[in-house]
Coordinates of all heavy atoms in Angstrom, one line a residue:
M289 N 23.8 71.3 34.9 CA 25.1 71.6 34.4 C 26.0 70.5 34.9 O 26.0 70.1 36.0 CB 25.6 73.0 34.9 CG 27.0 73.3 34.5 SD 27.6 74.9 35.2 CE 26.5 76.0 34.4
T290 N 26.9 70.0 34.0 CA 27.8 69.0 34.3 C 29.0 69.6 35.0 O 29.3 70.8 34.9 CB 28.3 68.2 33.1 OG1 29.1 69.1 32.3 CG2 27.2 67.6 32.3
V291 N 29.8 68.8 35.7 CA 31.0 69.2 36.4 C 32.0 69.8 35.4 O 32.6 70.9 35.6 CB 31.7 68.0 37.2 CG1 33.0 68.4 37.7 CG2 30.7 67.6 38.3
E292 N 32.1 69.1 34.2 CA 33.0 69.7 33.2 C 32.6 71.0 32.7 O 33.5 71.9 32.5 CB 33.1 68.7 32.0 CG 34.0 67.5 32.2 CD 35.5 67.9 32.5 OE1 36.0 68.8 31.9 OE2 36.1 67.3 33.4
V293 N 31.3 71.2 32.5 CA 30.9 72.5 32.0 C 31.1 73.6 33.1 O 31.6 74.7 32.8 CB 29.4 72.5 31.6 CG1 28.8 73.9 31.4 CG2 29.2 71.6 30.4
A294 N 30.8 73.3 34.3 CA 31.0 74.2 35.4 C 32.5 74.6 35.5 O 32.8 75.8 35.7 CB 30.6 73.6 36.7
L295 N 33.4 73.6 35.4 CA 34.8 73.9 35.4 C 35.2 74.8 34.2 O 36.0 75.7 34.4 CB 35.7 72.6 35.4 CG 35.7 71.9 36.8 CD1 36.2 70.5 36.6 CD2 36.5 72.6 37.8
S296 N 34.7 74.5 33.1 CA 35.0 75.4 31.9 C 34.5 76.8 32.0 O 35.2 77.7 31.7 CB 34.3 74.7 30.6 OG 34.9 73.5 30.3
V297 N 33.3 76.9 32.6 CA 32.7 78.3 32.8 C 33.6 79.0 33.8 O 34.0 80.2 33.6 CB 31.3 78.2 33.4 CG1 30.8 79.5 34.0 CG2 30.3 77.7 32.3
M298 N 34.0 78.4 34.9 CA 34.9 79.1 35.9 C 36.2 79.4 35.3 O 36.8 80.5 35.5 CB 35.1 78.2 37.1 CG 33.8 78.2 38.0 SD 34.1 77.4 39.5 CE 33.7 75.7 39.1
A299 N 36.8 78.5 34.5 CA 38.1 78.8 33.8 C 38.0 80.0 32.9 O 38.8 80.9 32.8 CB 38.6 77.6 33.1
G300 N 36.9 80.0 32.0 CA 36.7 81.1 31.1 C 36.4 82.4 31.7 O 36.8 83.4 31.2
A301 N 35.7 82.4 32.9 CA 35.4 83.6 33.6 C 36.6 84.0 34.5 O 36.5 85.1 35.2 CB 34.1 83.5 34.4
R302 N 37.5 83.1 34.7 CA 38.7 83.3 35.6 C 38.2 83.6 37.0 O 38.7 84.6 37.7 CB 39.6 84.5 35.1 CG 40.2 84.2 33.7 CD 41.1 85.3 33.3 NE 41.6 85.0 32.0 CZ 42.1 85.9 31.1 NH1 42.0 87.1 31.4 NH2 42.5 85.5 30.0
V303 N 37.3 82.7 37.5 CA 36.8 82.8 38.9 C 37.1 81.5 39.6 O 37.3 80.5 39.0 CB 35.3 83.2 38.9 CG1 35.0 84.5 38.3 CG2 34.5 82.1 38.2
G304 N 37.2 81.6 40.9 CA 37.4 80.4 41.7 C 36.2 79.8 42.3 O 36.3 78.7 42.9
H305 N 35.0 80.4 42.1 CA 33.8 79.8 42.6 C 32.7 80.1 41.6 O 32.7 81.0 40.8 CB 33.5 80.2 44.0 CG 33.1 81.7 44.1 ND1 34.0 82.7 44.1 CD2 31.9 82.3 44.1 CE1 33.4 83.8 44.1 NE2 32.1 83.6 44.2
L306 N 31.6 79.3 41.7 CA 30.4 79.4 40.9 C 29.2 79.5 41.8 O 29.1 78.7 42.7 CB 30.3 78.2 40.0 CG 29.2 78.2 38.9 CD1 29.5 79.3 37.9 CD2 29.2 76.9 38.2
L307 N 28.4 80.5 41.6 CA 27.2 80.7 42.4 C 26.1 79.7 41.9 O 25.9 79.6 40.7 CB 26.7 82.1 42.4 CG 27.7 83.1 43.0 CD1 27.1 84.5 42.8 CD2 28.0 82.8 44.4
L308 N 25.4 79.1 42.7 CA 24.4 78.1 42.3 C 23.0 78.6 42.6 O 22.7 79.3 43.6 CB 24.6 76.8 43.1 CG 26.0 76.2 43.0 CD1 26.1 75.0 43.9 CD2 26.3 75.8 41.6
C309 N 22.0 78.3 41.7 CA 20.6 78.7 41.8 C 19.8 77.4 41.6 O 20.2 76.5 40.9 CB 20.3 79.7 40.7 SG 21.1 81.3 40.9
D310 N 18.5 77.5 42.2 CA 17.6 76.4 42.0 C 16.8 76.7 40.7 O 17.0 77.7 40.0 CB 16.7 76.2 43.2 CG 15.9 77.4 43.6 OD1 15.7 78.3 42.7 OD2 15.3 77.4 44.7
G311 N 15.8 75.9 40.5 CA 14.9 76.1 39.3 C 14.1 77.4 39.3 O 13.6 77.8 38.2
D312 N 14.0 78.0 40.4 CA 13.3 79.3 40.5 C 14.2 80.4 40.6 O 13.8 81.6 40.9 CB 12.4 79.3 41.8 CG 11.3 78.2 41.7 OD1 10.7 78.0 40.6 OD2 11.0 77.7 42.8
D313 N 15.5 80.2 40.2 CA 16.5 81.3 40.2 C 16.8 81.8 41.6 O 17.2 83.0 41.7 CB 16.2 82.4 39.2 CG 16.3 81.9 37.8 OD1 17.1 81.0 37.5 OD2 15.6 82.5 36.9
Q314 N 16.5 81.0 42.6 CA 16.9 81.5 44.0 C 18.2 80.9 44.3 O 18.5 79.8 44.0 CB 15.8 80.9 45.0 CG 14.4 81.4 44.7 CD 14.3 82.9 44.9 OE1 14.8 83.5 45.9 NE2 13.8 83.6 43.9
G315 N 19.1 81.8 44.9 CA 20.4 81.4 45.3 C 20.4 80.2 46.3 O 19.6 80.3 47.2
T316 N 21.2 79.2 46.0 CA 21.3 78.1 47.0 C 22.7 77.9 47.5 O 22.9 77.1 48.5 CB 20.9 76.8 46.3 OG1 21.7 76.6 45.1 CG2 19.4 76.9 45.8
G317 N 23.7 78.6 47.0 CA 25.1 78.4 47.5 C 26.1 78.6 46.5 O 25.8 79.3 45.4
S318 N 27.3 78.0 46.7 CA 28.3 78.1 45.7 C 29.2 76.9 45.8 O 29.1 76.1 46.7 CB 29.2 79.4 46.0 OG 29.8 79.3 47.2
V319 N 30.0 76.8 44.8 CA 31.0 75.6 44.7 C 32.3 76.2 44.2 O 32.3 77.1 43.4 CB 30.4 74.5 43.8 CG1 30.3 74.9 42.4 CG2 31.3 73.3 43.9
T320 N 33.4 75.7 44.7 CA 34.7 76.2 44.2 C 35.3 75.3 43.2 O 34.9 74.1 43.0 CB 35.7 76.2 45.4 OG1 36.0 74.9 45.9 CG2 35.2 77.1 46.6
R321 N 36.2 75.8 42.4 CA 36.9 75.1 41.4 C 37.7 73.9 42.1 O 37.7 72.8 41.5 CB 37.9 76.0 40.7 CG 38.5 75.4 39.4 CD 39.5 76.2 38.7 NE 39.0 77.6 38.5 CZ 39.7 78.5 37.8 NH1 40.9 78.2 37.4 NH2 39.2 79.7 37.6
A322 N 38.2 74.1 43.3 CA 39.0 73.1 44.0 C 38.0 71.9 44.3 O 38.4 70.8 44.2 CB 39.6 73.7 45.2
Q323 N 36.8 72.2 44.8 CA 35.8 71.2 45.1 C 35.5 70.3 43.9 O 35.5 69.1 44.0 CB 34.6 71.8 45.7 CG 34.7 72.3 47.1 CD 33.4 73.1 47.5 OE1 32.9 74.0 46.7 NE2 32.9 72.8 48.6
L324 N 35.3 71.0 42.8 CA 35.0 70.3 41.6 C 36.2 69.5 41.0 O 36.0 68.4 40.4 CB 34.4 71.2 40.5 CG 33.1 71.8 40.8 CD1 32.7 72.7 39.7 CD2 32.0 70.8 41.1
A325 N 37.4 70.0 41.2 CA 38.6 69.2 40.8 C 38.7 67.9 41.6 O 39.1 66.9 41.0 CB 39.8 70.1 41.0
V326 N 38.4 67.9 42.8 CA 38.4 66.7 43.7 C 37.4 65.7 43.1 O 37.7 64.5 43.0 CB 38.1 67.0 45.1 CG1 37.9 65.8 45.9 CG2 39.2 67.8 45.7
V327 N 36.2 66.2 42.8 CA 35.2 65.3 42.2 C 35.7 64.7 40.9 O 35.6 63.5 40.6 CB 33.9 66.0 42.0 CG1 32.9 65.2 41.2 CG2 33.3 66.4 43.3
R328 N 36.2 65.6 40.0 CA 36.7 65.2 38.7 C 37.8 64.1 38.8 O 37.9 63.2 37.9 CB 37.1 66.4 37.9 CG 37.5 66.0 36.4 CD 38.2 67.1 35.7 NE 39.3 67.6 36.5 CZ 39.8 68.8 36.4 NH1 39.3 69.7 35.6 NH2 40.9 69.2 37.1
D329 N 38.6 64.2 39.8 CA 39.8 63.3 39.9 C 39.4 62.0 40.7 O 40.3 61.2 40.8 CB 40.9 64.1 40.7 CG 41.5 65.2 39.8 OD1 41.3 65.2 38.6 OD2 42.1 66.1 40.4
S330 N 38.2 61.9 41.1 CA 37.8 60.7 41.8 C 37.5 59.5 40.9 O 37.3 59.7 39.7 CB 36.5 60.9 42.7 OG 35.4 61.0 41.9
S331 N 37.6 58.3 41.4 CA 37.4 57.1 40.6 C 35.9 57.0 40.2 O 35.6 56.3 39.2 CB 37.8 55.9 41.3 OG 37.0 55.7 42.5
A332 N 35.0 57.6 40.8 CA 33.5 57.5 40.5 C 33.1 58.5 39.4 O 32.0 58.5 39.0 CB 32.7 57.8 41.8
Y333 N 34.0 59.4 39.0 CA 33.7 60.5 38.1 C 33.4 59.9 36.7 O 34.1 59.1 36.2 CB 34.8 61.5 38.0 CG 34.5 62.6 37.0 CD1 33.6 63.6 37.3 CD2 35.2 62.5 35.8 CE1 33.4 64.6 36.3 CE2 34.9 63.5 34.8 CZ 34.0 64.5 35.1 OH 33.7 65.5 34.2
T334 N 32.3 60.5 36.1 CA 32.1 60.3 34.6 C 31.8 61.7 34.0 O 31.5 62.6 34.7 CB 30.9 59.4 34.4 OG1 29.7 60.2 34.7 CG2 30.9 58.1 35.1
D335 N 32.0 61.8 32.7 CA 31.8 63.1 32.1 C 30.3 63.6 32.0 O 30.0 64.7 31.6 CB 32.4 63.2 30.7 CG 31.8 62.2 29.7 OD1 31.0 61.3 30.2 OD2 32.1 62.3 28.5
R336 N 29.4 62.7 32.5 CA 28.0 63.0 32.5 C 27.5 63.4 33.9 O 26.4 63.7 34.1 CB 27.2 61.9 32.1 CG 27.4 61.6 30.6 CD 26.5 60.5 30.1 NE 26.7 60.2 28.7 CZ 26.1 59.3 28.0 NH1 25.2 58.6 28.6 NH2 26.4 59.2 26.8
M337 N 28.5 63.5 34.9 CA 28.1 63.8 36.3 C 27.7 65.3 36.4 O 28.4 66.2 35.9 CB 29.3 63.5 37.2 CG 29.0 63.5 38.6 SD 30.4 62.9 39.6 CE 30.2 61.1 39.3
R338 N 26.5 65.5 37.0 CA 26.0 66.8 37.1 C 26.3 67.4 38.5 O 26.4 66.6 39.5 CB 24.5 66.8 36.9 CG 24.2 66.2 35.4 CD 22.7 66.2 35.1 NE 22.1 67.5 34.9 CZ 22.3 68.3 33.9 NH1 23.1 67.9 32.9 NH2 21.7 69.5 33.8
L339 N 26.3 68.7 38.6 CA 26.5 69.4 39.9 C 25.6 68.9 41.0 O 26.0 68.6 42.1 CB 26.4 70.9 39.7 CG 27.5 71.6 39.0 CD1 27.2 73.1 39.0 CD2 28.9 71.3 39.6
R340 N 24.3 68.8 40.6 CA 23.3 68.4 41.7 C 23.6 67.0 42.2 O 23.1 66.6 43.3 CB 21.9 68.5 41.1 CG 21.6 67.6 40.0 CD 20.1 67.7 39.6 NE 19.9 67.0 38.4 CZ 19.5 67.6 37.3 NH1 19.3 68.8 37.3 NH2 19.4 66.9 36.2
D341 N 24.3 66.1 41.4 CA 24.5 64.8 41.8 C 25.7 64.7 42.7 O 25.9 63.7 43.4 CB 24.8 63.9 40.6 CG 23.5 63.8 39.7 OD1 22.4 64.0 40.2 OD2 23.7 63.6 38.5
V342 N 26.6 65.6 42.7 CA 27.9 65.5 43.5 C 27.9 66.5 44.7 O 28.8 66.3 45.5 CB 29.1 65.8 42.6 CG1 29.2 64.7 41.5 CG2 29.1 67.2 42.0
L343 N 27.1 67.4 44.8 CA 27.1 68.4 45.9 C 26.2 68.0 47.0 O 25.2 68.4 47.2 CB 26.7 69.8 45.4 CG 27.6 70.3 44.3 CD1 27.1 71.7 43.8 CD2 29.1 70.4 44.8
S344 N 26.8 67.0 47.8 CA 26.0 66.6 49.0 C 26.3 67.4 50.2 O 25.5 67.4 51.2 CB 26.3 65.1 49.2 OG 27.7 64.9 49.5
A345 N 27.4 68.1 50.3 CA 27.7 68.9 51.5 C 26.9 70.1 51.4 O 26.5 70.6 50.4 CB 29.2 69.2 51.4
P346 N 26.6 70.7 52.6 CA 25.9 72.0 52.6 C 26.6 73.1 51.8 O 27.8 73.2 51.9 CB 25.8 72.4 54.1 CG 26.1 71.1 54.8 CD 27.0 70.3 53.9
A347 N 25.8 73.8 51.0 CA 26.4 74.9 50.2 C 26.6 76.1 51.1 O 26.0 76.3 52.1 CB 25.5 75.2 49.1
V348 N 27.6 76.9 50.6 CA 27.8 78.2 51.2 C 26.6 79.1 51.0 O 26.2 79.2 49.9 CB 29.1 78.8 50.6 CG1 29.4 80.2 51.2 CG2 30.3 77.9 50.9
P349 N 26.1 79.8 52.0 CA 24.9 80.6 51.8 C 25.2 81.8 50.8 O 26.3 82.3 50.7 CB 24.7 81.2 53.2 CG 25.4 80.4 54.2 CD 26.6 79.8 53.4
F350 N 24.2 82.2 50.1 CA 24.2 83.3 49.2 C 24.3 84.6 49.9 O 23.7 84.7 51.0 CB 23.0 83.3 48.3 CG 23.2 82.9 46.9 CD1 23.7 81.7 46.6 CD2 23.0 83.9 45.9 CE1 23.9 81.4 45.2 CE2 23.2 83.6 44.6 CZ 23.7 82.3 44.3
P351 N 24.9 85.6 49.4 CA 24.8 86.9 50.0 C 23.4 87.5 49.9 O 22.6 87.1 49.0 CB 25.8 87.8 49.1 CG 25.9 87.0 47.9 CD 25.7 85.6 48.2
S352 N 23.0 88.3 50.8 CA 21.6 88.8 50.8 C 21.4 89.9 49.8 O 20.2 90.1 49.4 CB 21.3 89.3 52.2 OG 22.2 90.4 52.6
S353 N 22.4 90.6 49.3 CA 22.2 91.6 48.3 C 22.2 91.0 46.9 O 22.8 90.0 46.7 CB 23.3 92.6 48.4 OG 24.5 92.1 48.2
P354 N 21.4 91.6 46.0 CA 21.4 91.1 44.6 C 22.7 91.2 44.0 O 23.5 92.1 44.3 CB 20.3 91.9 43.9 CG 20.1 93.1 44.8 CD 20.6 92.7 46.2
L355 N 23.0 90.3 43.1 CA 24.3 90.3 42.3 C 24.1 91.1 41.1 O 23.0 91.2 40.5 CB 24.7 88.9 42.0 CG 24.9 87.9 43.1 CD1 25.1 86.5 42.7 CD2 26.1 88.4 44.0
P356 N 25.2 91.8 40.6 CA 25.1 92.6 39.4 C 24.9 91.8 38.1 O 24.5 92.4 37.1 CB 26.4 93.3 39.4 CG 27.4 92.5 40.2 CD 26.5 91.8 41.2
Y357 N 25.2 90.5 38.1 CA 25.0 89.7 37.0 C 24.9 88.2 37.4 O 25.1 87.9 38.6 CB 26.2 89.8 36.0 CG 27.5 89.4 36.7 CD1 27.9 88.1 36.6 CD2 28.3 90.3 37.3 CE1 29.1 87.7 37.2 CE2 29.5 89.9 38.0 CZ 29.9 88.6 37.9 OH 31.0 88.3 38.5
S358 N 24.4 87.4 36.5 CA 24.4 86.0 36.8 C 24.9 85.2 35.6 O 24.9 85.7 34.5 CB 22.9 85.6 37.1 OG 22.1 85.8 36.0
L359 N 25.2 83.9 35.9 CA 25.7 83.1 34.9 C 24.6 82.2 34.3 O 23.7 81.8 35.0 CB 26.8 82.1 35.4 CG 28.1 82.9 35.8 CD1 29.1 81.9 36.5 CD2 28.8 83.5 34.7

């Protein structure tokens, strides 16, 4: 998913963070709208930049209980 798509999903869902999963649908963390806004406003940003390319900091751990829905 690109940064722009992630920001659009968060805006449409009216949420401040997005839960992240790996290829096996295992939770890996989350990212906030504010974190992505910083990336989008940087000089290195392009509209093809993907979340996996910009999230170098450790992600926030997932809750241990299952979520009622996923994106």
